[in-house]
Amino acid sequence: MALEIRLVPLLSDNYGYLLHDPATGDTAVVDPSEAAPVLAVLEAEGWRLGHILNTHHHPDHIGGNAALKAATGAVIAAPRADLHRIPDVDVPLAEGDRYRVGGSEAQVFAVPGHTSGHIALWFEADEALFSGDTLFSLGCGKLFEGTPEEMWRSLGKLKALPDATRVYCGHEYTQSNARFARTIEPNNAALEARAAEVTALRAAGKPTIPTVLGVEKATNPFLRADVPAVQAAMGLAGRPAADVFAAVRRAKDNF
């Protein structure tokens, strides 16, 4: 693994991420809601920002772009589908593209659902996935611009990645997500263990991120719409997984 990944708390519950390659000095930031906390870490570490990576167009993911670009000259790489909604993009990114930070390379996935242009970035060698607001720990993003079928397909792309993949998502929502998940699968031992871990981490003032994809596959109801226990819980045994996912999403929206 080449990249050092630094979580940067932003706004009230957002996370941005600094990616630094010690061998080359190259540094990127993912989804900077605001500039000042990112600049503070860069100054403290003596890192020079070269890349700003956005997963989608929402202001709490691009709000720091302009100030960071002005301060550092970093290039902005963002979804090609959102060029009309993200200013000053230098490198448009779409499904199948590759993007390098130092010696590490990310594969770009189109993951519409939360927004129509949402992308995720998977650094395979670093076992790191930056999922924005598509996949959360024990949750997924609301469907502001996509259908349940689209989001289920998008989550399927991420679910297919290796179990050891660390998931770096856009928000600290895990504790509330755990409360909901337990209403769907109250007898899921892996979920109970994860919920207890999350409670302890938050009580200690620590982030619950990154999570691990293998844990998410065993505990996250939004990734488990094809599992009989979740289908039965929703009264949809044997129904298509996208229909079950839609029911879980509606339940969460009303939770």
Side-chain angles (χ1 to χ4, degrees):
M1 296 183 189
L3 291 177
E4 178 179 343
I5 300 172
R6 182 75 60 87
L7 181 152
V8 184
L10 302 169
L11 301 178
S12 61
D13 57 29
N14 278 74
Y15 289 143
Y17 301 97
L18 280 165
L19 287 55
H20 178 71
D21 181 0
T24 65
D26 206 13
T27 304
V29 65
V30 178
D31 286 347
S33 317
E34 51 183 335
V38 175
L39 290 169
V41 177
L42 291 169
E43 182 176 3
E45 296 293 341
W47 296 347
R48 182 183 180 280
L49 189 68
H51 316 264
I52 299 165
L53 308 177
N54 297 141
T55 61
H56 63 294
H57 75 277
H58 283 162
D60 63 327
H61 291 256
I62 68 169
N65 279 16
L68 287 169
K69 187 178 180 71
T72 67
V75 301
I76 298 175
R80 181 183 298 276
D82 278 339
L83 292 181
H84 62 299
R85 303 195 284 193
I86 301 177
D88 300 322
V89 174
D90 301 293
V91 183
L93 298 174
E95 174 81 20
D97 285 346
R98 302 273 177 167
Y99 193 87
R100 294 195 69 83
V101 177
S104 292
E105 184 177 67
Q107 180 177 341
V108 178
F109 295 101
V111 287
H114 179 66
T115 67
S116 58
H118 205 302
I119 61 172
L121 299 158
W122 177 45
F123 288 83
E124 179 177 4
D126 296 277
E127 297 183 327
L129 171 69
F130 296 89
S131 60
D133 288 0
T134 295
L135 174 63
F136 295 130
S137 178
L138 298 178
C140 78
K142 291 183 178 180
L143 305 186
F144 289 123
E145 298 177 6
T147 66
E149 291 78 15
E150 282 179 318
M151 189 62 140
W152 177 246
R153 285 195 298 270
S154 294
L155 290 172
K157 293 180 184 180
L158 306 184
K159 186 178 177 179
L161 299 177
D163 284 358
T165 303
R166 294 167 296 156
V167 180
Y168 297 87
C169 59
H171 293 271
E172 182 55 73
Y173 291 163
T174 315
Q175 197 159 27
S176 61
N177 287 344
R179 287 194 290 270
F180 170 74
R182 294 173 75 194
T183 70
I184 304 296
E185 289 194 276
N187 299 314
N188 183 330
L191 174 57
E192 288 300 304
R194 175 61 172 154
E197 177 188 40
V198 166
T199 298
L201 286 168
R202 297 310 290 157
K206 296 179 180 179
T208 64
I209 307 302
T211 183
V212 179
L213 191 56
V215 173
E216 292 301 311
K217 293 176 189 180
T219 59
N220 186 331
F222 295 98
L223 294 182
R224 294 171 57 79
D226 54 354
V227 172
V230 174
Q231 295 181 340
M234 305 311 295
L236 296 171
R239 292 284 297 277
D243 293 349
V244 180
F245 170 83
V248 176
R249 184 63 258 177
R250 285 194 299 271
K252 179 64 164 67
D253 291 341
N254 296 308
F255 182 67

